[in-house]
């Protein structure tokens, strides 16, 4: 099977529709916007954003199909024979910032890149990860069990890559409890890779939805809300200062509202803030954000 | 006169005390913290932070004196003969985030760097700039007039450098209305450079204080507060994704709470937000944030 971008686009667009519908149902009130924006060179972007819902403070589910005449040299440093060749890319990205501090933020990205050189080159990349402000072992196990079922034999490698990528070196902290991360993926050829990407994309809602449903109506007070706003600062730090996709988007002149749609709706930075030991807030840092084998340690719990 | 870091440190520490005292008086209630933190290799940091005052939501006035045994090669790319030589640096940085949306955010940085090679090398850098959420011509003229008096014959060059530096390329926006910016400064030798840095540092309070006093008790509502939180997003984007000092701080392992003390206390990111034309919010973008010759155009007003 050749590396057929149409089948990738079809899957990503269907997944975008499914995820938006499910998130609207979870929120109960707010609706996703729908724009279709022509891309320079061909293709189109279809960003969909939901804001200020009662349960979901902000969610962005974006599809993009880009077409280029000639791959820039900077994008082909490892494969100089590809420079100047036509290319196409398709991607879906998802971010959910719930309002309730007990409901975790989540992120997914799936992307496909093809260069029409001789021979053609292609790869998949992406993954999904979870960023709680308050930890629950049950949620971490469910998240990783669903990820492991989707990734199969590749779970251990993708989980390790996720822990390594979503790390704030300047804080010495993990962004969240991880999940799956992969890049330059061609293992087993196009059909097997697309099957794997389908399995991961399809697992996103079964992974996230039960956690959201368990947490989004828990009672909370001002202290929990403040902790959530403070922790969202870490998210903004990661996306603006570290994340490769965001940094590439800032530098490449892509539509900025799409690039930065992932940023949290409301964020607080406080100087020298540290939670008291023995609190759930301290447990987040000392236990939940320490990468660990969730399934091996707690998988039978 | 040799490049004497003691006289620089003395000035920076005195200026830190003056600015903290003046900001405490402007706020009326909140007080600056005072820490003295030994630096690896010698020297010390003295960060001072004020949070959650009635008029000043967050201010950080930080002094640092760093001493190093051997200049890293990455810091001496332009002057490889300096690699491995002992060095010292002294710096003061100031950031003020007022609570009232009509009172502008301000920032100042002054720094001195000396390498004890043969021959020794040194330079000054820094400047100050103003970031309003609502524009007032009177404030812009006062700010730039005070800057011009301090910088003298260097004003035009330093003003242009400030406009060029505080630019968000990904937004196509200026961060604020500018001020002064200089780097690698040795013009006229050490004594003349220190005099200029003293003049700029001493001008900061006369430049900012009258503006703050005119604006900090103007009546405002939720719409103005929301616009302020939204505009603070640009500030966070600049500091985390663009600012050289912050990016160096993130990568070099400096104390992270000091590096990121400049971040706004509360920030909102909204998707696709744009003010209606003809409003003060739209005027900020279309008029005030367009670099211009404030003194030539309005200096006699």
């Amino acid at each position: 099977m050749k590396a057929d971008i149409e089948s990738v686009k079809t899957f990503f667009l269907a997944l975008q529709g499914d995820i938006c519908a499910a998130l609207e149902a979870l929120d109960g009130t707010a609706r996703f916007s729908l724009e279709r924006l022509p891309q320079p060179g061909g293709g189109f972007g279809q960003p969909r954003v939901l804001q200020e819902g009662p349960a979901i403070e902000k969610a962005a589910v974006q599809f993009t199909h880009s077409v280029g005449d000639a791959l820039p040299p900077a994008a082909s440093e490892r494969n100089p024979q590809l420079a100047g060749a036509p290319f196409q890319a398709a991607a879906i990205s998802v971010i959910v910032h719930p309002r309730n501090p007990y409901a975790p933020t989540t992120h997914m990205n799936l992307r496909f890149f093809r260069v029409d050189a001789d021979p053609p080159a292609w790869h998949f990349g992406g993954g999904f990860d979870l960023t709680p402000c308050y930890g629950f072992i049950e949620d971490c196990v469910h998240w990783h069990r669903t990820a492991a079922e989707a990734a199969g034999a590749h779970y251990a490698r993708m989980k390790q890559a996720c822990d390594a990528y979503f790390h704030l070196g300047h804080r010495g902290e993990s962004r969240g409890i991880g999940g799956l991360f992969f890049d330059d993926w061609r293992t087993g050829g196009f059909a097997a890779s697309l099957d794997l990407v389908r399995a991961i994309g399809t697992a996103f809602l079964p992974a996230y939805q039960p956690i959201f449903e368990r947490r989004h109506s828990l009672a909370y007070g001002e202290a929990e809300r403040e902790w959530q706003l403070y922790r969202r600062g870490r998210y903004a730090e990661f996306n603006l200062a570290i994340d490769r996709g965001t940094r590439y988007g800032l530098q490449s002149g892509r539509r900025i509202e799409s690039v930065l749609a992932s940023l949290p709706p409301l964020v607080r930075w406080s100087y020298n803030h540290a939670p008291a030991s023995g609190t759930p807030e301290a447990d987040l840092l000392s236990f939940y954000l320490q990468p660990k084998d969730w399934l091996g340690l707690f998988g039978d719990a």
Side-chain angles (χ1 to χ4, degrees), chain A:
Chain A
M1 183 180 182
K2 73 187 265 280
D4 168 27
I5 196 165
E6 289 308 317
S7 54
V8 179
K9 283 168 56 186
T10 301
F11 171 63
F12 286 176
L13 279 166
L15 186 61
Q16 183 190 36
D18 291 348
I19 291 175
C20 288
L23 292 175
E24 286 181 348
L26 288 175
D27 185 70
T29 300
R31 292 288 169 262
F32 277 92
S33 64
L34 177 57
E35 298 164 279
R36 189 179 162 115
L37 308 170
Q39 296 278 98
F44 67 99
Q46 188 167 282
R48 303 196 63 182
V49 178
L50 177 159
Q51 297 190 97
E52 299 297 336
I56 298 179
E57 204 169 329
K58 187 179 185 184
V61 185
Q62 306 189 76
F63 169 83
T64 317
H65 173 219
S66 320
V67 180
D69 282 342
L71 195 66
S76 52
E77 278 171 6
R78 283 175 300 179
N79 297 293
Q81 79 280 7
L82 301 179
F87 64 94
Q88 294 194 56
I92 178 171
S93 71
V94 180
I95 183 100
V96 185
H97 291 289
R99 193 176 293 279
N100 190 306
Y102 293 113
T105 289
T106 190
H107 160 258
M108 177 170 75
N109 175 271
L110 299 171
R111 57 189 181 271
F112 174 72
F113 189 71
R114 192 183 78 182
V115 185
D116 295 323
D118 184 18
W122 59 269
H123 68 262
F124 287 94
F128 57 57
D129 61 284
L130 194 74
T131 307
C133 302
Y134 288 94
F136 297 93
I137 288 177
E138 174 187 18
D139 295 354
C140 300
V141 171
H142 170 76
W143 180 257
H144 277 278
R145 185 179 284 135
T146 314
E149 285 166 7
H154 307 298
Y155 167 70
R157 175 179 163 195
M158 289 186 173
K159 187 233 182 242
Q160 190 174 31
C162 193
D163 288 337
Y165 182 75
F166 291 103
H167 181 76
L168 287 79
H170 62 282
R171 296 280 189 184
E173 284 179 16
S174 297
R175 185 170 87 167
I177 62 136
L180 303 174
F181 183 90
F182 58 102
D183 203 357
D184 287 323
W185 193 272
R186 285 171 293 269
T187 304
F190 178 76
S193 297
L194 178 56
D195 281 349
L196 181 63
V197 166
R198 277 201 183 107
I200 292 171
T202 307
F204 172 76
L205 281 173
Y208 185 60
Q209 192 160 338
I211 297 173
F212 185 93
E213 286 172 338
R214 275 202 288 269
R215 307 303 166 199
H216 83 95
S217 54
L218 292 184
Y220 66 92
E222 200 180 328
E224 289 77 22
R225 174 68 172 171
E226 285 300 314
W227 175 245
Q228 179 193 44
L229 300 189
Y230 176 76
R231 290 303 304 172
R232 285 178 176 172
R234 301 294 202 271
Y235 216 85
E237 290 173 25
F238 185 87
N239 285 19
L240 287 169
I242 300 173
D243 184 60
R244 292 200 290 257
T246 307
R247 293 196 60 75
Y248 174 77
L250 293 182
Q251 289 158 11
S252 66
R254 281 187 54 211
R255 177 173 179 266
I256 199 62
E257 286 295 328
S258 296
V259 173
L260 297 183
S262 65
L263 289 170
L266 194 65
V267 180
R268 181 180 294 292
W269 274 283
S270 303
Y271 177 72
N272 249 1
H273 182 74
S277 67
T279 61
E281 291 82 6
D283 287 350
L284 179 79
L285 304 173
S286 64
F287 177 75
Y288 288 94
L289 298 189
Q290 305 298 323
K292 55 176 61 64
D293 175 11
W294 290 103
L295 301 182
L297 289 170
F298 305 103
D300 296 321

